[in-house]
Amino acid sequence: MTLQRISWLFAALGLACVAVGAVGHWLLAWPPAAASGWAGAGAGYLAGGVVLRLLPRWWRQHCDDMYAQPAGRRYLRSLWPIMVGYTLALFASIMLIRRGIDSVPLRALVAVAPAFALVLLMRAALRYLREIDELQRRIETEAIGIASLLVSVLYFAAGLLQKAKVVEVDAATAMIWVFPLLCATYGIAKMLLTRRFQ
Amino acid sequence: MNNQVRALREERGWSQGELAERLAVSRQTIHAIETGKYDPSLPLAFKLARLFSMSIEQLFDPGE
């Protein structure tokens, strides 16, 4: 599957989520939190589609090359159900937590449900890493290394600033942003490293 | 490291993609090897040498 097709798929998913939110809000009288949750997920997918369209041409061609290979095809195939599962788990988890769950173990289980999907993502990513060729593996491992070090240093510095009462960041927000920051830094590092070998 | 990969590939009329397929690597890897931006591992260098029926020393020149 080419990156162009993936961007269209993101757009379609985004519009579908926004439509579900709109139907829920105007026709089914859902509570505002439920409707806005769907709209938020839709906006996320739409933004993803736009970002994919704005990527440089050489990078899109590189990604198309990589996803045309057996390892890339297998990775993409396993990625879709995981991402859809993650979105649904996140939506359900937020809704149930907002509604309130008295039992602490059950609340904990519901709260971490979206993270289970990310464990599956990690398994798929590790399999992809083992199956790609040596240059790609070198680029991937370097990008993962750079992302881990940069995000660790950033959080260490932020922790020191918080301790010195220079900044005041909510702990839950800070922890939730670790994974997205790692993914974004890894993506940028991978682009730069790939460019070096072009 | 200098090498003869591009010349030998073109002699046989193969595209980078075709060579990549024969070696089960990506097209980018072939491009990086040909332009000297990436030195392959020993197993990949052996695969390349066997494919072109040459020794590694004939295919790659460390250019001391």
Side-chain angles (χ1 to χ4, degrees):
Chain A
M1 189 182 281
T2 63
L3 221 56
Q4 194 175 13
R5 274 193 183 180
I6 296 173
S7 71
W8 284 119
L9 209 57
F10 264 74
L13 269 173
L15 289 174
C17 287
V18 170
V20 170
V23 167
H25 181 67
W26 281 298
L27 299 180
L28 304 173
W30 279 359
S36 64
W38 279 99
Y45 276 117
L46 282 171
V50 171
V51 168
L52 289 179
R53 300 293 290 195
L54 292 176
L55 290 171
R57 193 187 175 87
W58 67 266
W59 176 249
R60 278 186 278 148
Q61 278 172 348
H62 168 75
C63 290
D64 289 349
D65 269 0
M66 293 310 297
Y67 293 137
Q69 288 174 27
R73 278 203 304 270
R74 264 194 296 277
Y75 180 59
L76 268 190
R77 263 203 309 270
S78 54
L79 202 61
W80 279 109
I82 292 171
M83 292 319 288
V84 172
Y86 168 74
T87 309
L88 294 174
L90 188 66
F91 176 73
S93 168
I94 291 170
M95 285 300 300
L96 291 170
I97 296 289
R98 272 185 189 160
R99 203 174 283 174
I101 302 171
D102 290 334
S103 158
V104 175
L106 185 62
R107 199 185 328 143
L109 197 68
V110 170
V112 298
F116 290 127
L118 296 183
V119 172
L120 296 175
L121 176 72
M122 192 180 79
R123 201 183 67 165
L126 284 176
R127 197 176 71 178
Y128 175 68
L129 201 60
R130 279 194 290 266
E131 288 177 349
I132 50 180
D133 74 51
E134 56 185 56
L135 174 60
Q136 303 309 322
R137 195 177 305 126
R138 178 175 154 176
I139 291 172
E140 294 281 349
T141 46
E142 263 187 61
I144 293 167
I146 290 169
S148 312
L149 287 171
L150 272 178
V151 174
S152 304
V153 170
L154 178 79
Y155 267 76
F156 179 63
L160 293 176
L161 288 172
Q162 179 117 345
K163 199 81 180 152
K165 299 191 189 315
V166 176
V167 294
E168 186 67 50
V169 183
D170 171 54
T173 308
M175 283 192 271
I176 282 172
W177 274 97
V178 172
F179 189 68
L181 261 177
L182 266 175
C183 291
T185 321
Y186 151 79
I188 294 166
K190 188 175 157 181
M191 267 179 94
L192 296 175
L193 290 166
T194 302
R195 193 67 174 156
R196 210 171 67 189
F197 293 104
Q198 292 267 314
Chain B
M1 190 154 49
N2 299 323
N3 64 72
Q4 313 284 325
V5 175
R6 181 183 293 250
L8 290 162
R9 172 179 65 77
E10 286 175 351
E11 254 174 41
R12 284 156 179 78
W14 295 339
S15 66
Q16 285 184 339
E18 278 176 277
L19 179 57
E21 212 169 297
R22 284 167 194 269
L23 295 165
V25 295
S26 65
R27 195 192 55 76
Q28 189 199 6
T29 301
I30 297 300
H31 175 77
I33 292 171
E34 285 186 355
T35 50
K37 287 179 181 168
Y38 175 66
D39 296 329
S41 67
L42 209 47
L44 182 54
F46 268 115
K47 272 169 98 175
L48 270 162
R50 280 197 196 114
L51 188 67
F52 292 123
S53 310
M54 298 176 109
S55 67
I56 288 182
E57 290 87 345
Q58 286 172 306
L59 194 57
F60 293 95
D61 171 23
E64 291 156 46

